[in-house]
Amino acid sequence: MRLTRPMLALTGAAAVLALAGCGSGGDAKAVAAVPSAATGSLEHLAAEVKCTPNIQIDADELRQAVCKKSKDADGKFILATFATDRGQREWINGAKDYGGHFLVGRKWVAVGDTTKTVTVLRKTLGGDIEEGTDHSKMGATHSAH
């Protein structure tokens, strides 16, 4: 049997699909447990996670509040809503330099000091987790001089 390019491509595609199917078993359950990302105003999102927002910034392009949730969310977190996707991404990119753990939805973000905080919030709000820059190891490299 002679292998031609179309047959090689078909065989390669089948191999990729077979490998992808083997590796996804454990993650499918975790992904199914995350609800689709919530939407709405800052107050609506805060009500979803049962916190009373302490509004810090109330502008047209950005609304930001500090929330304190029950002990299961591990303390305080920042909740912010944005007028545009671009404004949200610019805010997140700037904020990541300060560290933290980010739960990101459509035109909103929740920022906690711990992974536990955003993981608990994600069970209600959905969204994707992003990590800020970890500066804790940078001091160790400078002290060796």
Side-chain angles (χ1 to χ4, degrees):
M1 175 157 108
R2 183 172 172 218
L3 291 176
T4 62
R5 281 189 180 176
M7 285 190 72
L8 285 172
L10 183 60
T11 304
V16 168
L17 289 173
L19 290 173
C22 292
S24 64
D27 293 338
K29 190 181 225 182
V31 171
V34 176
S36 59
T39 58
S41 68
L42 188 139
E43 290 80 6
H44 173 77
L45 296 169
E48 289 287 321
V49 293
K50 297 175 178 53
C51 87
T52 303
N54 180 2
I55 305 290
Q56 305 293 309
I57 299 172
D58 193 0
D60 290 340
E61 62 280 347
L62 164 70
R63 297 191 71 224
Q64 181 175 309
V66 174
C67 278
K68 181 159 175 62
K69 191 167 164 21
S70 61
K71 62 184 177 212
D72 65 336
D74 203 26
K76 293 182 192 177
F77 60 95
I78 293 172
L79 185 59
T81 57
F82 304 87
T84 65
D85 294 325
R86 181 178 176 177
Q88 175 188 17
R89 182 46 52 193
E90 288 174 355
W91 186 94
I92 292 169
N93 290 344
K96 279 186 172 183
D97 288 341
Y98 298 96
H101 308 271
F102 298 75
L103 180 61
V104 181
R106 178 94 202 291
K107 294 186 182 175
W108 62 263
V109 64
V111 185
D113 287 335
T114 67
T115 303
K116 180 181 178 185
T117 302
V118 294
T119 301
V120 169
L121 293 172
R122 188 176 190 216
K123 291 176 185 176
T124 304
L125 297 176
D128 297 313
I129 295 176
E130 297 182 23
E131 298 295 326
T133 304
D134 181 6
H135 294 286
S136 65
K137 295 179 177 106
M138 290 184 182
T141 60
H142 294 293
S143 62
H145 289 71

